[in-house]
């Protein structure tokens, strides 16, 4: 006898789990790169935008380890400073890097002015709120209260240093869901600006919403974005939207302030027995 046991979750959304960088903070995902550029400019080393983007999801120690394993970077460092840094010097570099990260991320902690209504909607619906970040716990601890001041009450947050695998592995968002005491991943929504973040949510079995203009596709601060022509904005928005949908996003919007209609649609789809 062959049996096919098929379950469907038909309840409400239980949690909305946000990415931090490019979704809630650091519009345009510039802070990490600026912090690295600032750090290594003191050591006469310039980093390419491609390298900065490639390592942006990694914890700070992993970013520095990645750089010092690159042949070109090692050659530049040894040319200017002789031997590679020892463990103590590497710790000093990490501390300097974190200081720059906090400075830049705090400067660019700029949610759209109309974000508060969607946060109020989330709380009114009784959804739990989680946050995932590649920042170390010290940096994230400084940023979380600033998000609270902007109207986002966070029930739990997780740092990439708390898990064994970075995105697109689902470890980070699943760790957050467990801490939120979620009973079904199909009742969770992951909101993220990046392709890896969308894939992370899909790997975890969650609904996904991509944010097109606040994230890595834009790579401009909010003030830089506002100075663009409508034609330039439409081009960036179209490329980002297409990229996020290709990555598998269920929905794509401009910023977190636009997700309410997506959440309402997900609720309707769940009631019909649909799954992510």
């Amino acid at each position: 006898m062959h049996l096919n046991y098929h379950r469907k979750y038909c309840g409400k959304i239980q949690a909305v789990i946000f990415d931090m960088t490019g979704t809630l903070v650091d519009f345009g995902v510039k802070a990490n790169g600026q912090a690295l550029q600032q750090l290594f400019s003191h050591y006469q080393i310039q980093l390419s935008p491609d390298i900065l983007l490639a390592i942006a999801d990694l914890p700070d120690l992993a970013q520095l380890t990645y750089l010092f394993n690159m042949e070109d970077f090692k050659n530049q460092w040894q040319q200017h400073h002789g031997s590679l840094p020892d463990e103590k010097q590497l710790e000093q570099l990490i501390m300097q890097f974190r200081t720059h990260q906090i400075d830049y991320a705090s400067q660019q902690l700029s949610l759209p002015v109309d974000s508060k209504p969607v946060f109020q909607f989330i709380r009114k619906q009784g959804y739990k709120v989680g946050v995932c970040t590649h920042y170390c716990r010290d940096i994230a601890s400084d940023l979380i209260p600033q998000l609270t001041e902007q109207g986002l009450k966070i029930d739990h947050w997780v740092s990439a240093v708390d898990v064994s695998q970075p995105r697109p592995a689902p470890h980070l968002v699943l760790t957050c869901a467990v801490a939120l005491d979620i009973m079904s991943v199909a009742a969770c929504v992951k909101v993220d600006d990046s392709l890896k973040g969308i894939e992370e949510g899909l790997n975890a079995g969650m609904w996904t919403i991509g944010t097109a203009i606040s994230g890595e596709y834009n790579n401009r601060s909010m003030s830089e974005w506002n100075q663009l022509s409508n034609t330039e904005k439409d081009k960036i928005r179209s490329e980002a939207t297409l990229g996020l949908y290709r990555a598998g996003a269920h929905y794509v919007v401009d910023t977190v302030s636009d997700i309410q209609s997506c959440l309402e649609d997900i609720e309707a789809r769940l009631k019909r027995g649909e799954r992510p």
Side-chain angles (χ1 to χ4, degrees), residues 221-238:
S221 67
M222 187 172 287
S223 60
E224 291 170 338
W225 168 259
N226 289 333
Q227 291 171 14
L228 296 178
S229 68
N230 288 336
T231 300
E232 292 171 317
K233 289 180 179 179
D234 287 343
K235 183 175 184 295
I236 294 168
R237 181 184 289 107
S238 297

Side-chain angles (χ1 to χ4, degrees), residues 100-162:
H100 293 313
Q101 282 180 310
I102 292 172
D103 289 343
Y104 282 115
S106 296
Q107 291 169 19
Q108 296 175 34
L109 185 69
S110 48
L111 287 166
V113 293
D114 54 352
S115 294
K116 286 187 177 180
V118 75
F119 297 152
Q120 292 169 350
F121 169 82
I122 287 171
R123 190 55 57 183
K124 183 177 180 181
Q125 295 300 310
Y127 306 154
K128 294 179 180 179
V129 173
V131 171
C132 298
T133 179
H134 75 274
Y135 285 133
C136 69
R137 299 194 68 82
D138 288 346
I139 295 175
S141 294
D142 280 355
L143 296 175
I144 292 295
Q146 298 182 54
L147 289 170
T148 302
E149 290 175 4
Q150 297 197 36
L152 182 62
K153 184 179 178 182
I154 298 166
D155 297 300
H156 188 77
W157 60 271
V158 183
S159 166
V161 299
D162 299 326

Side-chain angles (χ1 to χ4, degrees), residues 3-72:
L3 299 176
N4 183 9
Y5 179 51
H6 183 67
R7 300 176 71 217
K8 290 183 179 180
Y9 175 81
C10 299
K12 289 176 60 64
I13 291 171
Q14 294 180 20
V16 181
I17 303 177
F18 294 95
D19 171 54
M20 182 177 277
T21 303
T23 305
L24 295 176
V25 307
D26 187 16
F27 189 99
V29 193
K30 296 174 68 70
N32 189 81
Q34 289 173 322
L36 279 174
Q37 294 280 29
Q38 179 73 13
L39 171 64
F40 286 109
S41 67
H42 295 304
Y43 298 95
Q44 297 81 50
I45 296 177
Q46 297 298 315
L47 301 172
S48 72
D50 289 342
I51 293 298
L52 295 175
L53 186 59
I55 64 177
D57 280 338
L58 300 175
D60 44 20
L61 175 58
Q63 291 191 51
L64 297 189
T65 301
Y66 184 101
L67 291 173
F68 279 106
N69 283 330
M70 291 176 55
E71 201 63 36
D72 182 58

Side-chain angles (χ1 to χ4, degrees), residues 168-233:
H171 298 41
L172 194 60
V173 72
L174 287 177
T175 298
C176 192
V178 170
L180 292 171
D181 201 24
I182 300 304
M183 298 303 295
S184 173
V185 289
C188 294
V189 182
K190 178 69 191 304
V191 185
D192 206 297
D193 70 289
S194 71
L195 305 186
K196 289 181 180 179
I198 294 299
E199 189 176 353
E200 171 200 24
L202 296 173
N203 286 338
M206 299 180 180
W207 300 91
T208 57
I209 302 174
T211 56
I213 68 169
S214 62
E216 63 183 19
Y217 267 99
N218 185 0
N219 200 224
R220 292 168 177 80
S221 67
M222 187 172 287
S223 60
E224 291 170 338
W225 168 259
N226 289 333
Q227 291 171 14
L228 296 178
S229 68
N230 288 336
T231 300
E232 292 171 317
K233 289 180 179 179

